[in-house]
Structures are given as C-alpha cells and as structure tokens.
Amino acid sequence: MSSLDENVITDPVAAVMQGNNPTPKEPPPPQLRKSAKAPRRSAAAKPVPLAADDLSASSLYLNRELTWLEFNRRVLHEAEDDRTPLLERLKFIAIVSSNLDEFFMKRIGGLKQQHGAGIRVLTVDGRTPRQQIDESYTMVRALEKSKQDVLPVILGLLKNKGIVLQDYTDLSAAEKKQLRQYYLRNIFPLITPQSIDPAHPFPFISNLSLNLLVTLRYPREKQVSLARVKVPVGAGIPRLIRVGSEDRFVPLEDLMCHNLDLLFPGMQVVCCEYFRVTRNSNTEKNEEQAEDLMAMIESELQDRKFAPIVRLEIRKGMDPVRRGMVAAELALDETADVFEVDGMMAMRDLMEIASLEYLELRDSPHHPIDHPLLQSQRSIFHVIRDAGSVLLQHPYESFSTSVERFLEEAADDPKVRAIKMTLYRTSRQSRIIDGLIHAAQHGKQVAVAVELKARFDEAANIVLATRMEEAGIHVTYGVVGLKTHCKVILVVRQDYDGIRRYVHIGTGNYHAVTARIYTDVGLLTCNEAIGQDATELFNYLTTGYTPRRKYEKMLPAPKFLKKALLAGIEREKRLHSEKKPGLIQFKMNALEDADIVKALYRASQAGVKVDLIIRDTCRLRPGLPGISKNIRVVSIVGRFLEHSRIYYFRNGGKEQYLIGSADAMKRNLEARVEVVVPVEDRKLRAEIRTLFDVLLDDKRSAWDMQPDGSYVQRMPTPGQESRGSHEILIELAAKRQKKMARLKKRKTQGVGGRNLR
C-alpha cells in the first residue's frame, strides 16, 4: 500500500491510492470544425505570458464569473441549434434566463458588496470587483441580445406547429371578451395598484417581480400621475394565459395592460410600461454568533426580501424620464445597472410552453431503467452484500428503484437498527423524507444532518427539518462555519453474522426530480472500511469535533481532500515516463481552485496528459505551449445537466477512481464538508472507464476549450457518430439491462434442465 505523499497526509490517502486495472484506451483526438453558430471568443480571454516558469501569473488564470457566463453561451447555443427539437430549444432559453437571474442575485450581488466595502484585492486572474462587474455586464448584454434574436425564430417555427405566443392586440373581439372575463374572475381580485406621488412614496418592489408602470391623468387635465401594478404570477396564476382551448397564449402583463380601465375607472391611461428588478441574495449572517441557527436562517430569508436591488430590467422604449426616475428610486446607476429588453421579459417563464406535451417537438421519451442487479424482489441489502458494491448511473438508471428503495427498505426492515444521512437539497414531496419519518415512527434511530444554508432552498429545508424533528428524528445542522454538501446515507443492520453497515455515497442531491435531468453517479456498498469511515463522518457532523479522526478510505473535505488531490497530481508527475506515461482525468462542474490549476500546469509541463471534463467554470487555460500543452478541457452541454464528480489517476498502472460530492473549487475544498471515496471493484471501474471514454469521444454535445478561454463545438464528419453522449449512454444502460436479462434467462433454463434430468 503506497501513499500519495506520506509527508503530507496519512491513512486516508494511502487507502485510496490503490488499483490494478489495465491502462484505459485513450480516445483519438476529436475532429474539430468551427460551427457557424459557435460562440465568439470569450470576453474572459487575456494575453498569455511567454514565460513558462511563473505559474502564478494572473494571465494564466481565467475569471470565475466570465467562464460561468461563457457556459451559458454554450447552453444558449442549444436554443440556436436547429438539430435541437423545438420545445427543447425554448427550454434552453428559459434555463439561460433563470441562470442569469441567479447570477445577478448571487454573483453580481456579492461583487457589489465587495466593491461597496472598498475591497480592491485582485482575484487570481488579476481583476478587482468593479472590473468583474463591468466585464460581466458586457457578456450579459451580449447573451440577452442573442436570446432576443433567437426567440422570435423559435416562436415562428412553433406557430407552424399550432403553438402560438401572441400579442393581445392580435386577438379577435370575441377572444378579448373571453379573456377579459377570465381576468375579472381569476386575477383581478389579486391585484393591488399603488399610486406614486408625494403622499405615496415609491412602493417596495419584490425580487424578480414583473411590474407595470402606468401613467395616468384625469380627463381634460394635463397633469399626469404614476401607479405601479405588480403582475401576480405564481400561486396558481400562470404567466402565459391560454386563449380558448388551443395552444395559443397571451402574456399576463399584456392582458393586464389592455384592461387597465378595470383598475382605474374613469381615468385616461397615457401609457403602460414594464419593468422588473433583481435583488441581492447575499444576506448571510455570522452563524458562530447565532444562538439559534434556524432562527438566524429565517431572519436571513426575511432580510433577502428587502436586500438591495442589483438589476433593473425595462422594456425597450420606456420614456427616458421615467426610466431615470425608477433607476434613481431603486438606487441604481442608470447607465450600468439598467438592462433594456427588446421583447419578452422574464423568459424563464417560457418553461410553461416548453413543458407542453408534443412528443414530436421534444427529445425522445426517456425512462430510466432499473439497475440490472436491483430488478429482483430480494432484499436490497442481500443484493449489496452479495455484490460488495453497486455503481448507480443517474438518470440512465432509476433513482426511485435504487436510492429511494434503499431508504424505504431500511425503514421497513426489522433488522435495521439505525439510519443516518446528509440532506442538502430534496423535493418538498419527497419519498426520502417519508421513509425517514416512517423509520423513526417504527422505533429506529434516525439522524439527519440538514444543511439549512443550501442557497435558495433554505425555506424548504427549514420546513423539512421541522417536520422531521416533530416525527422524532434527530436533526442537526452540520458544523459551524462549514456547509454540509456531501451526499451520504449510512444504514446499520443486524445481519446474520453481526452488525453490518451499508452506505450510499453520491455525487448528486437526494432529489427525485433533478435525478431525472442531472447526470450523477452513486455507490451502494457494504465495504467495512467505508462503513467505519461513514460512522466517523456522522460523529463529526453531529459534534463538530475534529481531533484525531481517522479515515481509511473516505476523503472528506476540508481536512483531507485537497491535500489528497494535490498529492495525487504530484505523484502522477513523479511516476510519468515514456514507458508508463501519466494520465489524469477529472470530471466536475467547475475548476476554480488556483492551487489545483497550478498543480495541473506542473503535471502538464512534466509530460502528463490531463483530460478535464468541466461543465462550466474553468480557470485553467489548456493548450499553452510550455505550460498546458498536454491538457485539454471539454465541456458537455446536452439533454441532461452534467453533474457527476469523478477523479482518475493512472498511478503507474495501479489506477484510482474516486467519486464524490466535491468540485475543485476553493469553497468546496476548504469551506464545505465534502466526501469522496474510491471505487475499487474492477467491474465498476470498467463502467466508469466507459463513461469517460464516451464523454471524451462525443462529437455532438462536446465543446473544446481554446487557450484564450473560448470554446469550439465539435461537429461529426461523415461516418462519425452523430448522437451526443447522453443518447449513447441511454443506449448503453438499456444494453446492460438486456444483458442481465439474458443471463438470468440462461440461468433459469439451466436450473430447469437439471431438474428435468
């Protein structure tokens, strides 16, 4: 047993760094061709230094915010690509719109706080907060322009299919009357107009709300007055109102705007203009000083409602005087912080149309298969015990019949003594929560570490935590100062030969909805060492005490994981030779940690080949002569959201495969509780190897990062596979299922034959 670096870290690393699989087949270099619709060069690009010895030079590092925006450019390209089914194209516009809302709430909000506090410290890529805001705004405006350009094209094509988003003015008189009656019955009672005048100060504007700014006057008077009307989207009120029984829709704000006489009878409506605001969501308080963490989070949520506004969106053509007035009332810079929208605002609501059931306009239906080993009616614990470990691949394999089944059987099994798990995000109507409550009600010890500070899920987690506590579950909120982001379930069972621990380690949240659209992997295992490590982990989460905790196989952050990754990269460099070339392959959502980037640069300089499959943020520049010539960065954007985190080291032939919850980001490695574990079974390693090979060989959904930070989409040449990796992996999952069915049939026939004899 060899250590990554005996001088840096002890038992956990030594235990992980094992493996004897044959060297994987390396995929051939991809055939690249610039797509006519490929994105322009990224605004993240900076000049590259000539010196290869200064790996701390800021020009070697890309900016976190700009590379994340560049990812959204790739997502938007799916809406522009005519190979994508029409309703899926609309879905990608909605996704980018939602992403940009969160970008302003989280990232721009945080940068504005830094700038306001006078912080001038440069990022590793050499930018101040103000520079990051300015450059981000440039990219956002370009993205918004692309959205506004492509939406009419898609809507025109959908119109030919009978799906229409139209203006209120284009309706017939009968249709207008019908919608007016619908509005009076279902929406009008919810509306509260607010005057804006010396007696009525500018009203509070809620986050992400769409608003009408109405200019009014009394008949035969010249003086005008203003009123604000909030568009009441949500709580059962759709943004897009159906016209009759057909799939024709009118925006709610358009319907309201043309029926203002109901709100302001006898008044003359001079004009009606639309605006929308985004508030900062960074309102975290110091939890170390909080006597009650849940009360503190609830206070944060309340503060977030009144947080400073960071963006004002207005419909193109708003009167300059009123535009300036609204910006001033919201304490915004009219030049920088106001975004003019030419067309529909809040395009995230297009998901209402994108969800329509038109099979021919959507991706082909996908139904996750049951994992081949979990198709029997046997106890899932017996299956895991016989197999040793089971690798799950979501969404290709069912979350319901694997992870949810694991918990539900644990709740019902009389031999199960205790269940412990971490909970970062889950659905409100979760079978997992129901299973935990059922277990507690049947006398089992149940403990759950809930992360109350999961961004935008705080309120839901407070509700779930309260519900579980009322059912008798021991609920804790993790370690002070650290977010609990790991995905771990520990089941303690009284087996025939004594107590045995069964563990699930995942890369994704315990969320049944996202398990259908995010790609994740998970490990169900009864490995004794991993079980012991999981026990140690939960003892840490419930007490916060760290001294002398030892882990044999598990690599938790913040104490061990970053050291292990750095040591693994260093060792790959040390073992590299012409006869045994080094190979590092990482798959993750983001590569942001500068120390990891620098270590990968050094490995590349030593000749180690590095393949990085990174969904969005990436600080590293690949392909730089003398620095990162041996590194390639690939981003997969397709039907599903890439979410799994996998780390691979060739290790001189003794391969290591690690899976877990952590991205290579400073926050994940140093300020969160994360968990990564080794996959040691040869068959399971072979499955992960296939996953790597399929993703790296993708010619449809893959984008290759260029040295300047821009991306080029791969295009299949004649004769090459034209399907994306997600479609191929769906097919491979089905083949695994059929193979297992054939083996079972042969086994059954063999048993029957022996009985006949």
Side-chain angles (χ1 to χ4, degrees), residues 154-203:
I154 297 173
L155 292 178
L157 295 171
L158 285 172
K159 186 175 183 179
N160 297 333
K161 304 294 184 180
I163 303 173
V164 183
L165 180 61
Q166 61 186 120
D167 292 336
Y168 182 87
T169 53
D170 294 333
L171 299 178
S172 67
E175 289 169 339
K176 290 178 181 178
K177 182 178 179 181
Q178 175 243 319
L179 282 188
R180 184 178 174 93
Q181 290 302 314
Y182 171 86
Y183 171 63
L184 266 172
R185 289 192 308 269
N186 300 285
I187 301 171
F188 183 75
L190 302 174
I191 297 173
T192 304
Q194 296 171 289
S195 295
I196 304 173
D197 56 38
H200 301 86
F202 197 83

Side-chain angles (χ1 to χ4, degrees), residues 576-596:
H576 171 75
S577 67
E578 288 188 12
K579 291 185 178 180
K580 292 186 176 181
L583 177 63
I584 296 170
Q585 293 179 322
F586 290 171
K587 180 185 182 302
M588 58 192 115
N589 298 333
L591 172 57
E592 182 268 344
D593 187 273
D595 297 327
I596 300 291

Side-chain angles (χ1 to χ4, degrees), residues 718-729:
Q720 286 186 324
E721 175 62 74
S722 60
R723 295 176 301 167
S725 52
H726 296 163
E727 284 68 33
I728 294 172
L729 290 168

Side-chain angles (χ1 to χ4, degrees), residues 468-738:
M468 288 189 288
E469 284 182 327
E470 291 173 349
I473 294 174
H474 180 59
V475 178
T476 59
Y477 305 116
V479 181
V480 173
L482 301 174
K483 276 191 177 181
T484 302
H485 189 251
C486 53
K487 329 301 182 182
V488 185
I489 302 173
L490 170 64
V491 173
V492 182
R493 187 175 189 268
Q494 180 68 53
D495 278 6
Y496 69 95
D497 57 349
I499 289 289
R500 191 185 303 269
R501 285 170 280 212
Y502 295 84
V503 182
H504 174 265
I505 306 286
T507 67
N509 297 308
Y510 293 117
H511 197 302
V513 176
T514 57
R516 295 291 302 270
I517 54 178
Y518 290 11
T519 71
D520 278 300
V521 295
L523 187 72
L524 287 169
T525 183
C526 60
N527 180 279
E528 185 176 348
I530 292 179
Q532 175 60 44
D533 288 349
T535 300
E536 201 68 28
L537 174 74
F538 279 104
N539 289 342
Y540 167 59
L541 290 175
T542 55
T543 67
Y545 300 150
T546 59
R548 296 178 183 170
R549 292 200 182 278
K550 293 184 179 180
Y551 298 89
E552 187 175 342
K553 291 188 179 294
M554 191 177 280
L555 290 170
K559 190 170 184 181
F560 295 114
L561 181 54
K562 182 171 179 176
K563 294 177 183 177
L565 293 177
L566 290 172
I569 297 169
E570 178 63 27
R571 190 202 49 204
E572 201 69 21
K573 184 179 74 170
R574 188 171 67 247
L575 293 177
H576 171 75
S577 67
E578 288 188 12
K579 291 185 178 180
K580 292 186 176 181
L583 177 63
I584 296 170
Q585 293 179 322
F586 290 171
K587 180 185 182 302
M588 58 192 115
N589 298 333
L591 172 57
E592 182 268 344
D593 187 273
D595 297 327
I596 300 291
V597 172
K598 190 179 296 185
L600 291 172
Y601 280 153
R602 292 196 186 101
S604 172
Q605 289 176 323
V608 176
K609 181 179 178 182
V610 180
D611 292 327
L612 302 174
I613 304 172
I614 301 175
R615 186 186 73 197
D616 48 77
T617 296
C618 180
R619 285 198 182 277
L620 181 147
R621 294 178 180 269
L624 297 176
I627 297 171
S628 57
K629 180 182 178 181
N630 295 307
I631 302 177
R632 63 169 166 167
V633 177
V634 179
S635 175
I636 306 291
V637 179
R639 175 173 186 163
F640 304 123
L641 181 73
E642 286 295 330
H643 194 254
S644 55
R645 291 92 166 191
I646 308 173
Y647 298 89
Y648 167 82
F649 298 95
R650 180 173 282 167
N651 189 25
K654 297 180 180 180
E655 299 178 299
Q656 293 130 27
Y657 289 86
L658 309 171
I659 68 167
S661 58
D663 291 308
M665 302 182 74
K666 185 178 179 66
R667 70 177 190 194
N668 297 73
L669 299 177
E670 299 181 11
R672 289 187 173 186
V673 180
E674 305 275 11
V675 164
V676 167
V677 296
V679 177
E680 298 177 322
D681 183 279
R682 293 175 64 89
K683 291 181 180 179
L684 305 190
R685 290 181 174 199
E687 290 183 33
I688 298 177
R689 172 48 45 203
T690 298
L691 179 63
F692 264 122
D693 291 345
V694 169
L695 293 172
L696 289 169
D697 197 43
D698 190 320
K699 303 296 191 301
R700 164 63 180 87
S701 305
W703 296 74
D704 285 282
M705 189 181 193
Q706 307 303 298
D708 67 353
S710 64
Y711 286 76
V712 176
Q713 187 181 38
R714 296 181 188 173
M715 301 291 288
T717 58
Q720 286 186 324
E721 175 62 74
S722 60
R723 295 176 301 167
S725 52
H726 296 163
E727 284 68 33
I728 294 172
L729 290 168
I730 288 174
E731 180 184 291
L732 290 177
K735 287 182 176 178
R736 289 196 299 273
Q737 186 183 47
K738 291 178 181 178

Side-chain angles (χ1 to χ4, degrees), residues 267-434:
M267 298 290 289
Q268 180 183 348
V269 177
V270 178
C271 68
C272 177
E273 298 162 313
Y274 304 152
F275 71 95
R276 182 172 183 260
V277 304
T278 310
R279 289 184 179 272
N280 182 8
S281 70
N282 295 286
T283 56
E284 293 187 2
K285 299 179 179 179
N286 187 351
E287 63 184 78
E288 293 185 2
Q289 299 176 1
E291 295 182 3
D292 185 331
L293 183 59
M294 186 178 292
M296 186 201 79
I297 301 299
E298 290 175 329
S299 174
E300 284 183 6
L301 293 177
Q302 187 67 20
D303 291 347
R304 190 177 295 172
K305 294 179 182 179
F306 301 95
I309 292 173
V310 294
R311 175 180 61 167
L312 169 64
E313 295 172 278
I314 63 168
R315 178 73 72 86
K316 184 178 181 181
M318 176 180 272
D319 178 80
V321 174
R322 289 189 288 273
R323 167 187 170 136
M325 181 273 294
V326 174
E329 291 286 353
L330 300 177
L332 295 175
D333 182 332
E334 183 184 354
T335 303
D337 299 324
V338 178
F339 290 76
E340 195 171 76
V341 179
D342 185 7
M344 181 179 179
M345 303 178 75
M347 291 187 194
R348 62 192 297 161
D349 293 329
L350 288 170
M351 198 64 79
E352 294 177 15
I353 294 179
S355 301
L356 292 174
E357 292 296 329
Y358 282 73
L359 295 182
E360 70 277 14
L361 302 181
R362 305 181 64 88
D363 288 325
S364 57
H366 171 240
H367 305 287
I369 67 163
D370 295 341
H371 189 284
L373 292 178
L374 301 178
Q375 292 175 9
S376 72
Q377 298 302 311
R378 296 177 64 209
S379 164
I380 194 170
F381 301 107
H382 295 172
V383 174
I384 297 170
R385 192 172 66 206
D386 290 348
S389 295
V390 177
L391 184 74
L392 306 172
Q393 297 187 48
H394 309 302
Y396 313 109
E397 293 166 345
S398 170
F399 180 82
S400 173
T401 60
S402 57
V403 178
E404 288 184 335
R405 176 186 170 187
F406 179 61
L407 266 175
E408 288 171 350
E409 286 198 26
D412 284 328
D413 191 331
K415 294 184 178 181
V416 168
R417 301 291 180 256
I419 302 172
K420 303 180 181 183
M421 76 172 293
T422 60
L423 197 62
Y424 190 75
R425 300 185 198 277
T426 191
S427 51
R428 288 180 181 268
Q429 303 299 322
S430 172
R431 286 172 57 190
I432 283 179
I433 302 299
D434 292 341

